[in-house]
Short mmCIF file of all heavy atoms in Angstrom, two decimals:
data_model
loop_
_atom_site.label_atom_id
_atom_site.label_comp_id
_atom_site.label_asym_id
_atom_site.label_seq_id
_atom_site.Cartn_x
_atom_site.Cartn_y
_atom_site.Cartn_z
N HIS A 34 -41.02 -10.70 -36.36
CA HIS A 34 -40.30 -9.56 -36.93
C HIS A 34 -39.50 -8.83 -35.86
O HIS A 34 -38.36 -8.44 -36.08
CB HIS A 34 -41.28 -8.58 -37.59
CG HIS A 34 -41.82 -9.04 -38.90
ND1 HIS A 34 -42.60 -8.25 -39.69
CD2 HIS A 34 -41.70 -10.22 -39.56
CE1 HIS A 34 -42.93 -8.91 -40.79
NE2 HIS A 34 -42.41 -10.11 -40.72
N ALA A 35 -40.13 -8.64 -34.70
CA ALA A 35 -39.45 -7.94 -33.60
C ALA A 35 -38.17 -8.67 -33.20
O ALA A 35 -37.12 -8.04 -33.02
CB ALA A 35 -40.38 -7.79 -32.40
N ARG A 36 -38.24 -10.00 -33.07
CA ARG A 36 -37.05 -10.78 -32.71
C ARG A 36 -35.97 -10.65 -33.77
O ARG A 36 -34.79 -10.48 -33.45
CB ARG A 36 -37.41 -12.26 -32.50
CG ARG A 36 -37.92 -12.56 -31.10
CD ARG A 36 -37.99 -14.06 -30.82
NE ARG A 36 -38.82 -14.80 -31.75
CZ ARG A 36 -40.14 -14.89 -31.67
NH1 ARG A 36 -40.79 -14.28 -30.72
NH2 ARG A 36 -40.83 -15.59 -32.56
N LEU A 37 -36.36 -10.73 -35.03
CA LEU A 37 -35.38 -10.60 -36.12
C LEU A 37 -34.74 -9.20 -36.12
O LEU A 37 -33.53 -9.08 -36.32
CB LEU A 37 -36.04 -10.85 -37.47
CG LEU A 37 -36.27 -12.30 -37.86
CD1 LEU A 37 -37.06 -12.37 -39.17
CD2 LEU A 37 -34.94 -13.02 -38.02
N ILE A 38 -35.54 -8.19 -35.94
CA ILE A 38 -35.01 -6.83 -35.91
C ILE A 38 -34.03 -6.67 -34.75
O ILE A 38 -32.90 -6.22 -34.94
CB ILE A 38 -36.16 -5.79 -35.80
CG1 ILE A 38 -36.99 -5.79 -37.10
CG2 ILE A 38 -35.60 -4.39 -35.51
CD1 ILE A 38 -38.33 -5.09 -36.98
N GLU A 39 -34.45 -7.08 -33.55
CA GLU A 39 -33.58 -6.95 -32.38
C GLU A 39 -32.29 -7.76 -32.55
O GLU A 39 -31.20 -7.26 -32.30
CB GLU A 39 -34.32 -7.41 -31.12
CG GLU A 39 -35.33 -6.41 -30.64
CD GLU A 39 -35.95 -6.82 -29.32
OE1 GLU A 39 -35.31 -6.61 -28.26
OE2 GLU A 39 -37.08 -7.35 -29.35
N LYS A 40 -32.44 -9.02 -32.95
CA LYS A 40 -31.28 -9.91 -33.11
C LYS A 40 -30.27 -9.31 -34.09
O LYS A 40 -29.07 -9.27 -33.81
CB LYS A 40 -31.76 -11.28 -33.60
CG LYS A 40 -30.66 -12.25 -33.91
CD LYS A 40 -31.24 -13.55 -34.47
CE LYS A 40 -30.20 -14.33 -35.21
NZ LYS A 40 -30.75 -15.39 -36.02
N ASN A 41 -30.78 -8.86 -35.24
CA ASN A 41 -29.88 -8.33 -36.25
C ASN A 41 -29.30 -6.98 -35.86
O ASN A 41 -28.13 -6.72 -36.10
CB ASN A 41 -30.59 -8.25 -37.61
CG ASN A 41 -30.66 -9.61 -38.27
OD1 ASN A 41 -29.68 -10.11 -38.78
ND2 ASN A 41 -31.83 -10.24 -38.20
N LEU A 42 -30.09 -6.11 -35.25
CA LEU A 42 -29.57 -4.82 -34.83
C LEU A 42 -28.49 -4.97 -33.76
O LEU A 42 -27.49 -4.25 -33.77
CB LEU A 42 -30.69 -3.93 -34.28
CG LEU A 42 -31.43 -3.06 -35.26
CD1 LEU A 42 -32.44 -2.18 -34.52
CD2 LEU A 42 -30.50 -2.22 -36.10
N LYS A 43 -28.69 -5.91 -32.84
CA LYS A 43 -27.72 -6.09 -31.74
C LYS A 43 -26.36 -6.56 -32.25
O LYS A 43 -25.37 -6.47 -31.52
CB LYS A 43 -28.28 -7.04 -30.68
CG LYS A 43 -29.35 -6.36 -29.85
CD LYS A 43 -29.89 -7.26 -28.77
CE LYS A 43 -30.92 -6.52 -27.95
NZ LYS A 43 -31.49 -7.33 -26.90
N ARG A 44 -26.29 -7.02 -33.47
CA ARG A 44 -25.00 -7.37 -34.07
C ARG A 44 -24.19 -6.12 -34.38
O ARG A 44 -22.98 -6.18 -34.51
CB ARG A 44 -25.20 -8.15 -35.37
CG ARG A 44 -25.76 -9.51 -35.18
CD ARG A 44 -25.94 -10.17 -36.53
NE ARG A 44 -26.48 -11.51 -36.39
CZ ARG A 44 -26.88 -12.25 -37.39
NH1 ARG A 44 -26.78 -11.80 -38.62
NH2 ARG A 44 -27.36 -13.45 -37.18
N TYR A 45 -24.88 -4.98 -34.54
CA TYR A 45 -24.23 -3.78 -35.03
C TYR A 45 -24.28 -2.59 -34.07
O TYR A 45 -23.52 -1.64 -34.25
CB TYR A 45 -24.84 -3.37 -36.38
CG TYR A 45 -24.83 -4.52 -37.34
CD1 TYR A 45 -25.99 -5.23 -37.64
CD2 TYR A 45 -23.64 -4.96 -37.92
CE1 TYR A 45 -25.97 -6.32 -38.49
CE2 TYR A 45 -23.60 -6.05 -38.77
CZ TYR A 45 -24.77 -6.73 -39.05
OH TYR A 45 -24.75 -7.82 -39.89
N VAL A 46 -25.18 -2.63 -33.09
CA VAL A 46 -25.27 -1.53 -32.13
C VAL A 46 -25.39 -2.09 -30.72
O VAL A 46 -25.86 -3.21 -30.52
CB VAL A 46 -26.46 -0.58 -32.42
CG1 VAL A 46 -26.32 0.09 -33.78
CG2 VAL A 46 -27.79 -1.29 -32.30
N THR A 47 -24.97 -1.30 -29.75
CA THR A 47 -25.08 -1.70 -28.35
C THR A 47 -26.18 -0.92 -27.64
O THR A 47 -26.36 -1.05 -26.43
CB THR A 47 -23.75 -1.48 -27.62
OG1 THR A 47 -23.39 -0.10 -27.72
CG2 THR A 47 -22.65 -2.36 -28.19
N ASN A 48 -26.92 -0.12 -28.38
CA ASN A 48 -27.98 0.70 -27.80
C ASN A 48 -29.02 -0.16 -27.10
O ASN A 48 -29.31 -1.27 -27.53
CB ASN A 48 -28.69 1.50 -28.90
CG ASN A 48 -27.75 2.33 -29.73
OD1 ASN A 48 -26.84 1.80 -30.35
ND2 ASN A 48 -27.97 3.64 -29.75
N LYS A 49 -29.60 0.40 -26.04
CA LYS A 49 -30.71 -0.26 -25.37
C LYS A 49 -31.90 -0.24 -26.32
O LYS A 49 -32.18 0.76 -26.98
CB LYS A 49 -31.06 0.49 -24.08
CG LYS A 49 -32.22 -0.12 -23.33
CD LYS A 49 -32.49 0.62 -22.04
CE LYS A 49 -33.68 -0.02 -21.36
NZ LYS A 49 -34.01 0.67 -20.11
N ILE A 50 -32.61 -1.38 -26.40
CA ILE A 50 -33.80 -1.49 -27.24
C ILE A 50 -34.99 -1.81 -26.34
O ILE A 50 -34.97 -2.77 -25.59
CB ILE A 50 -33.64 -2.59 -28.32
CG1 ILE A 50 -32.46 -2.26 -29.24
CG2 ILE A 50 -34.93 -2.73 -29.12
CD1 ILE A 50 -32.12 -3.36 -30.24
N ILE A 51 -36.02 -0.98 -26.43
CA ILE A 51 -37.28 -1.21 -25.72
C ILE A 51 -38.31 -1.58 -26.77
O ILE A 51 -38.48 -0.86 -27.75
CB ILE A 51 -37.74 0.06 -24.96
CG1 ILE A 51 -36.70 0.45 -23.91
CG2 ILE A 51 -39.12 -0.15 -24.34
CD1 ILE A 51 -36.95 1.82 -23.29
N ARG A 52 -39.02 -2.69 -26.57
CA ARG A 52 -40.01 -3.12 -27.56
C ARG A 52 -41.42 -2.98 -27.02
O ARG A 52 -41.71 -3.40 -25.90
CB ARG A 52 -39.79 -4.57 -27.96
CG ARG A 52 -40.85 -4.99 -28.97
CD ARG A 52 -40.75 -6.43 -29.40
NE ARG A 52 -41.94 -6.75 -30.17
CZ ARG A 52 -42.85 -7.63 -29.79
NH1 ARG A 52 -42.73 -8.29 -28.67
NH2 ARG A 52 -43.90 -7.85 -30.54
N LEU A 53 -42.27 -2.39 -27.83
CA LEU A 53 -43.69 -2.30 -27.53
C LEU A 53 -44.44 -2.94 -28.70
O LEU A 53 -43.98 -2.88 -29.84
CB LEU A 53 -44.12 -0.84 -27.36
CG LEU A 53 -43.39 -0.09 -26.24
CD1 LEU A 53 -43.78 1.38 -26.24
CD2 LEU A 53 -43.67 -0.72 -24.88
N SER A 54 -45.61 -3.52 -28.42
CA SER A 54 -46.26 -4.33 -29.45
C SER A 54 -47.53 -3.74 -30.04
O SER A 54 -48.17 -4.37 -30.87
CB SER A 54 -46.55 -5.73 -28.91
OG SER A 54 -47.37 -5.64 -27.77
N ASP A 55 -47.92 -2.53 -29.64
CA ASP A 55 -49.04 -1.89 -30.33
C ASP A 55 -48.95 -0.37 -30.18
O ASP A 55 -48.20 0.15 -29.35
CB ASP A 55 -50.40 -2.43 -29.89
CG ASP A 55 -50.80 -2.06 -28.47
OD1 ASP A 55 -50.80 -0.84 -28.14
OD2 ASP A 55 -51.16 -2.96 -27.70
N GLY A 56 -49.73 0.31 -30.99
CA GLY A 56 -49.67 1.76 -31.02
C GLY A 56 -50.11 2.43 -29.73
O GLY A 56 -49.60 3.49 -29.37
N GLN A 57 -51.09 1.84 -29.04
CA GLN A 57 -51.54 2.44 -27.78
C GLN A 57 -50.42 2.39 -26.74
O GLN A 57 -50.20 3.37 -26.03
CB GLN A 57 -52.79 1.72 -27.24
CG GLN A 57 -53.35 2.37 -25.98
CD GLN A 57 -53.84 3.78 -26.24
OE1 GLN A 57 -54.71 3.99 -27.08
NE2 GLN A 57 -53.28 4.76 -25.54
N GLN A 58 -49.72 1.26 -26.65
CA GLN A 58 -48.57 1.18 -25.74
C GLN A 58 -47.55 2.25 -26.09
O GLN A 58 -46.99 2.89 -25.20
CB GLN A 58 -47.90 -0.19 -25.83
CG GLN A 58 -48.66 -1.32 -25.22
CD GLN A 58 -47.92 -2.65 -25.41
OE1 GLN A 58 -46.93 -2.75 -26.14
NE2 GLN A 58 -48.41 -3.68 -24.74
N ALA A 59 -47.32 2.45 -27.38
CA ALA A 59 -46.34 3.45 -27.82
C ALA A 59 -46.75 4.85 -27.40
O ALA A 59 -45.93 5.61 -26.86
CB ALA A 59 -46.17 3.37 -29.34
N VAL A 60 -48.01 5.21 -27.63
CA VAL A 60 -48.49 6.54 -27.24
C VAL A 60 -48.39 6.71 -25.73
O VAL A 60 -47.92 7.75 -25.24
CB VAL A 60 -49.94 6.75 -27.75
CG1 VAL A 60 -50.58 7.98 -27.12
CG2 VAL A 60 -49.96 6.85 -29.27
N ASP A 61 -48.81 5.69 -24.98
CA ASP A 61 -48.72 5.76 -23.52
C ASP A 61 -47.27 5.95 -23.07
O ASP A 61 -46.97 6.77 -22.20
CB ASP A 61 -49.31 4.51 -22.87
CG ASP A 61 -50.84 4.45 -22.97
OD1 ASP A 61 -51.46 5.47 -23.37
OD2 ASP A 61 -51.40 3.39 -22.67
N PHE A 62 -46.36 5.20 -23.67
CA PHE A 62 -44.93 5.29 -23.33
C PHE A 62 -44.38 6.67 -23.67
O PHE A 62 -43.72 7.31 -22.84
CB PHE A 62 -44.15 4.20 -24.08
CG PHE A 62 -42.69 4.18 -23.77
CD1 PHE A 62 -42.21 3.44 -22.70
CD2 PHE A 62 -41.78 4.88 -24.54
CE1 PHE A 62 -40.85 3.42 -22.40
CE2 PHE A 62 -40.42 4.87 -24.26
CZ PHE A 62 -39.96 4.13 -23.18
N LEU A 63 -44.65 7.14 -24.87
CA LEU A 63 -44.10 8.41 -25.33
C LEU A 63 -44.63 9.62 -24.56
O LEU A 63 -43.93 10.60 -24.37
CB LEU A 63 -44.38 8.59 -26.83
CG LEU A 63 -43.59 7.66 -27.74
CD1 LEU A 63 -44.22 7.60 -29.13
CD2 LEU A 63 -42.13 8.13 -27.82
N PHE A 64 -45.88 9.52 -24.09
CA PHE A 64 -46.51 10.65 -23.42
C PHE A 64 -46.70 10.42 -21.92
O PHE A 64 -47.41 11.17 -21.26
CB PHE A 64 -47.84 10.99 -24.10
CG PHE A 64 -47.64 11.46 -25.51
CD1 PHE A 64 -47.88 10.60 -26.58
CD2 PHE A 64 -47.19 12.74 -25.79
CE1 PHE A 64 -47.68 11.02 -27.89
CE2 PHE A 64 -46.98 13.17 -27.09
CZ PHE A 64 -47.23 12.30 -28.15
N SER A 65 -46.05 9.36 -21.39
CA SER A 65 -46.14 9.03 -19.95
C SER A 65 -47.59 8.96 -19.48
O SER A 65 -47.98 9.60 -18.51
CB SER A 65 -45.33 10.03 -19.12
OG SER A 65 -43.97 9.98 -19.49
N GLU A 66 -48.38 8.16 -20.18
CA GLU A 66 -49.79 7.98 -19.86
C GLU A 66 -50.06 6.50 -19.58
O GLU A 66 -49.20 5.65 -19.77
CB GLU A 66 -50.67 8.44 -21.03
CG GLU A 66 -50.51 9.92 -21.35
CD GLU A 66 -51.21 10.33 -22.63
OE1 GLU A 66 -51.72 9.47 -23.38
OE2 GLU A 66 -51.23 11.54 -22.89
N GLY A 67 -51.28 6.20 -19.14
CA GLY A 67 -51.69 4.81 -18.92
C GLY A 67 -50.73 4.06 -18.02
O GLY A 67 -50.35 4.55 -16.95
#
């Protein structure tokens, strides 16, 4: 799903995309933890 989302989005936007694969990584990233 992540590859499909990135591949299809990149056809329409040039924004940088950062991918994380679980909620703990997301919380750590968003709150500069871990």
Side-chain angles (χ1 to χ4, degrees):
H34 285 187
R36 276 192 302 278
L37 281 174
I38 292 166
E39 285 185 80
K40 175 183 160 194
N41 282 285
L42 271 184
K43 286 182 178 180
R44 291 179 180 172
Y45 308 104
V46 298
T47 58
N48 305 59
K49 179 178 179 181
I50 300 173
I51 299 170
R52 179 182 170 245
L53 301 174
S54 59
D55 69 54
Q57 184 63 59
Q58 288 178 350
V60 168
D61 288 350
F62 182 87
L63 289 163
F64 296 102
S65 299
E66 298 171 352

